[in-house]
Amino acid sequence: MGGMQSLVILGGGTAGTMAANLLRRRLPSNWTITVVDRDDRHPYQPGYLFVPFWMKPERVTRDRWAQLHDGIQHVEATIARIDAPARRVLLATGQELAYDWLVIATGSHPRHDLVSGLSDGPLWGTKIHDFYTLDGATRLAEALRNFDGGKVLVHLAELPIKCPVAPLEFTFLVEDHFRKRGIRHKVDITFVTPLDGAFTKPVASSAFGDLLEDRSVRVASDFTVSHVDNDRARLVAYDGRELPFDLLVTVPPHTGAQCITDSGLGDDMGFVPVDKHTLRAHADDRIFVLGDASDIPTSKAGSVAHFATELFVDNFLAAIEGKALPNRFDGHANCFLESGRGEALLLDFNYDTQPLTGSYPVPVVGPMRLLRRSRINHLGKLAFEQIYWRMLLPGKRLPVPLLMSKAGKHEPREH
Ligand SMILES: Cc1cc2nc3c(=O)[nH]c(=O)nc-3n(C[C@H](O)[C@H](O)[C@H](O)COP(=O)(O)OP(=O)(O)OC[C@H]3O[C@@H](n4cnc5c(N)ncnc54)[C@H](O)[C@@H]3O)c2cc1C
């Protein structure tokens, strides 16, 4: 069996928890697995989208350590730094954790402090809100209840952010919210984006653009935010454009975890450069990076963390034996997009293929229609909460393909 071997997993969120549970079943008993995270509260982050409207904040979070299977250790502490050459992790408490192999799953983090005037002025928490943190989403619920008309900006500062469709989803849901309250005619909604359209990928962007127009939502595109003017309640762009607001809901820039930057392992946004097919860190063969923490060019999403982590398991088992890695990740992402009116769309894409129309997971039959609004997609999105806690985190196989399939999809026609 050999001597003791240790795997340390940094971050007990979506990817870290899944990886620990999947590997515990596959690694022999001379391996210890230790998960490090700063607290004992695991949020179901997709729930943040619904908290401003109807979901109770208490429902979003469960005990973090209870999600780990037997035989997995945990350490509740803030990670200060990784010392890769010495194969050890330094904790803020001054303690050290030695490892033979390391998985980094420290996620991506909204940084309100990176836009001047956003969270450091008097309007933060009154006229300026966010829904990318549980506290923010909870405060926004209250603000929306009290809002009775005026200019609303839904603002995306820059990419990458986690779940890049969430700002659009919020826009559709907030439009619904005002309509249901009978005050839609008193609210002027603008979707503000640094992109030249509603989304990054052309087929999806035109589908979402049409939908925004349908709902009478204005789009301010190519808007690169410079700062927020708190005195005049205006969002200001570098090109001089100014958008006045009575309510600004912003999704700020994201970076990787501070401990990644402090370890010298990150790019200039704090994301760890990896081989995009194997998720092995360029800097060190003993480090793999799962979930939002790496620099792979696909969406930062729970679905990506899920597909990649399942493929990673066999690669890890090969790596520790010194063998070639058998699996290649293709960047597969799969996102439900709430479109309001009790409906949702489904997007399925990877490194090479943009979201196309068609059906999923079974070509032609579906049941989910890609890029078309339907009730069943909306129910799928809501059902995902239970799937997350009961199947995804414990590491049970879901009946969907890990690599993207082109079957059932329609390529755009050349003109
Ligand atoms: C509003 C919103 C809606 C979303 N909707 C969807 C959706 O519909 N579908 C979808 O697929 N995805 C969605 N996501 C994205 C999804 O939640 C993330 O992509 C996913 O959780 C990433 O998993 P992760 O393990 O990489 O990071 P996380 O789950 O964020 O975990 C990272 C962990 O690292 C810990 N950590 C970081 N730094 C330190 C440190 N220094 N010390 C100790 N611990 C540390 C954190 O505490 C955290 O627990 C959404 C996200 C948001 C915010």
Side-chain angles (χ1 to χ4, degrees):
M1 276 292 243
M4 290 306 285
Q5 295 279 312
S6 64
L7 165 65
V8 169
I9 299 178
L10 302 181
T14 310
T17 303
M18 260 194 87
N21 287 338
L22 284 167
L23 279 172
R24 187 61 289 174
R25 291 208 288 271
R26 305 284 301 279
L27 283 170
S29 56
N30 63 320
W31 276 81
T32 60
I33 302 178
T34 308
V35 178
V36 189
D37 206 301
R38 57 164 62 95
D39 59 33
D40 189 19
R41 292 182 311 279
H42 185 134
Y44 174 63
Q45 296 177 44
Y48 296 176
L49 176 68
F50 299 115
V51 169
F53 305 105
W54 55 268
M55 194 180 271
K56 292 253 179 298
E58 306 80 66
R59 170 166 160 187
V60 174
T61 308
R62 295 195 183 178
D63 294 345
R64 189 186 300 286
W65 307 126
Q67 311 309 319
L68 297 175
H69 291 174
D70 288 350
I72 299 168
Q73 298 164 11
H74 68 261
V75 172
E76 194 168 307
T78 297
I79 303 146
R81 205 160 59 78
I82 300 153
D83 181 355
R87 288 192 201 145
R88 56 182 192 157
V89 176
L90 308 169
L91 304 176
T93 53
Q95 278 172 294
E96 287 182 22
L97 275 176
Y99 63 83
D100 295 301
W101 292 82
L102 188 71
V103 167
I104 296 177
T106 42
S108 63
H109 305 277
R111 292 286 302 274
H112 306 87
D113 56 312
L114 293 182
V115 178
S116 156
L118 204 59
S119 58
D120 54 354
L123 298 186
W124 178 241
T126 57
K127 285 189 174 180
I128 307 176
H129 288 270
D130 90 303
F131 64 97
Y132 263 56
T133 59
L134 189 52
D135 285 350
T138 309
R139 271 196 307 268
L140 178 54
E142 167 95 36
L144 281 180
R145 268 196 302 276
N146 297 330
F147 192 80
D148 51 19
K151 289 189 164 39
V152 175
L153 304 180
V154 183
H155 170 234
L156 163 61
E158 66 178 42
L159 290 164
I161 59 165
K162 47 188 156 189
C163 198
V165 294
L168 276 169
E169 297 184 275
F170 181 85
T171 308
F172 295 127
L173 293 180
V174 85
E175 198 272 337
D176 248 21
H177 167 90
F178 294 128
R179 193 173 42 81
K180 281 187 197 143
R181 282 180 51 202
I183 59 165
R184 178 66 182 93
H185 61 288
K186 294 203 268 175
V187 186
D188 179 3
I189 308 175
T190 307
F191 181 71
V192 188
T193 170
L195 304 174
D196 60 5
F199 196 55
T200 47
K201 324 264 175 177
V203 173
S205 184
S206 79
F208 301 149
D210 292 348
L211 201 52
L212 288 169
E213 201 179 312
D214 240 39
R215 305 278 162 87
S216 304
V217 172
R218 295 174 210 272
V219 178
S221 53
D222 298 308
F223 193 98
T224 311
V225 64
S226 144
H227 64 280
V228 183
D229 180 338
N230 274 253
D231 297 333
R232 293 157 62 234
R234 278 164 194 229
L235 188 66
V236 184
Y238 277 110
D239 63 12
R241 272 183 289 168
E242 295 189 357
L243 297 173
F245 61 84
D246 299 294
L247 177 66
L248 167 63
V249 180
T250 189
V251 180
H254 283 40
T255 65
Q258 187 61 40
C259 60
I260 301 301
T261 303
D262 293 345
S263 309
L265 284 172
D267 60 16
D268 45 359
M269 309 276 295
F271 298 115
V272 186
V274 296
D275 177 311
K276 70 176 184 176
H277 296 298
T278 63
L279 311 168
R280 205 171 198 167
H282 285 312
D284 191 316
D285 264 6
R286 292 278 180 131
I287 303 179
F288 285 87
V289 188
L290 299 176
D292 294 353
S294 83
D295 73 339
I296 56 174
T298 185
S299 286
K300 297 201 178 294
S303 61
V304 172
H306 162 219
F307 299 136
T309 302
E310 288 213 21
L311 293 171
F312 149 82
V313 169
D314 283 324
N315 282 351
F316 184 76
L317 296 172
I320 60 178
E321 305 256 305
K323 295 185 184 148
L325 309 189
N327 291 332
R328 283 170 65 80
F329 182 54
D330 65 348
H332 186 193
N334 184 269
C335 307
F336 286 109
L337 182 136
E338 282 294 302
S339 51
R341 319 281 207 261
E343 294 178 329
L345 298 89
L346 185 62
L347 275 75
D348 196 49
F349 56 96
N350 70 9
Y351 292 142
D352 307 317
T353 309
Q354 59 160 321
L356 301 173
T357 53
S359 56
Y360 182 87
V362 187
V364 189
V365 184
M368 321 284 196
R369 293 273 161 225
L370 296 166
L371 275 182
R372 258 224 329 254
R373 281 175 285 141
S374 76
R375 181 84 186 149
I376 189 164
N377 286 341
H378 169 68
L379 297 175
K381 172 117 184 167
L382 294 183
F384 208 76
E385 184 187 4
Q386 290 305 315
I387 294 175
Y388 183 81
W389 296 114
R390 293 181 191 193
M391 297 183 74
L392 198 127
L393 287 184
K396 297 195 181 127
R397 267 311 291 276
L398 303 187
V400 294
L402 302 176
L403 294 170
M404 199 197 82
S405 160
K406 268 200 173 183
K409 293 195 174 126
H410 313 306
E411 297 273 3
R413 287 209 191 90
E414 303 277 338
H415 290 290

